[in-house]
Amino acid sequence: MFKKVLLISLVLGMLSSLSGCAVNHATAMVTPGTDIKAMKTFYVVKGPDASDKTDQIIKDYLTKKGYSATVGPELTPPYNADGVITYVDKWFWDITMYMIELTINVRNPVNNFPVAVGNSYHTSLTRLSPTEMVNEVMTNIYKEAK
């Protein structure tokens, strides 16, 4: 009887610890009155980490969707684009490095005010590649732009 209770306790303990690892969520919000779909040119601000390629992945996403996009350092507004994109990517080590969270802001090129924001968070069991994270966030932003 003791062995059976111990076995059940171990199995339940393992299951409860695994459920905490499978966390994911994705959100997006567009400021009312903002027409994201009217923005045809974008300036993607290069991230602070030189080895980070997230800025290029965002540019590639926009280009594949038919928009014009360039990547460069942060500038003093106004930008020569319809929208400015900034991002924060967080990385985590779990056997390998992976992107755990990505937040993308679409900003007004004149005053840098954020007009849309999207976020994706995936822990180790639901991890996505950086390209998949960008796709998820940008797709959700465009879905919110009604």
Side-chain angles (χ1 to χ4, degrees):
M1 178 69 168
F2 176 74
K3 288 182 182 180
K4 192 173 192 179
V5 170
L6 181 61
L7 180 62
I8 291 172
S9 297
L10 284 172
V11 169
L12 289 175
M14 287 172 46
L15 288 175
S16 67
S17 69
L18 286 177
S19 66
C21 295
V23 176
N24 64 0
H25 65 81
T27 60
M29 185 178 76
V30 177
T31 303
T34 301
D35 188 2
I36 295 283
K37 294 178 181 179
M39 296 178 173
K40 302 297 180 196
T41 61
F42 291 92
Y43 184 87
V44 181
V45 176
K46 192 160 192 55
D49 185 358
S51 66
D52 184 3
K53 301 293 184 217
T54 306
D55 47 23
Q56 188 62 46
I57 296 169
I58 295 169
K59 177 186 180 272
D60 292 345
Y61 173 90
L62 292 166
T63 303
K64 285 178 188 172
K65 294 296 181 181
Y67 301 104
S68 174
T70 57
V71 175
E74 187 168 7
L75 305 172
T76 303
Y79 288 86
N80 188 20
D82 297 329
V84 177
I85 296 189
T86 59
Y87 67 92
V88 176
D89 54 351
K90 295 181 183 174
W91 294 78
F92 190 74
W93 174 262
D94 185 2
I95 300 177
T96 62
M97 286 297 288
Y98 72 98
M99 188 185 295
I100 190 168
E101 185 174 18
L102 175 64
T103 302
I104 294 177
N105 285 286
V106 180
R107 299 177 175 276
N108 181 307
V110 176
N111 58 16
N112 230 11
F113 183 79
V115 295
V117 63
N119 176 273
S120 177
Y121 182 88
H122 289 272
T123 55
S124 63
L125 291 180
T126 63
R127 73 174 73 179
L128 299 175
S129 71
T131 300
E132 291 169 318
M133 295 280 277
V134 167
N135 288 343
E136 181 175 61
V137 173
M138 294 301 293
T139 299
N140 287 339
I141 288 173
Y142 278 100
K143 279 183 188 175
E144 278 298 306
K146 296 176 174 118

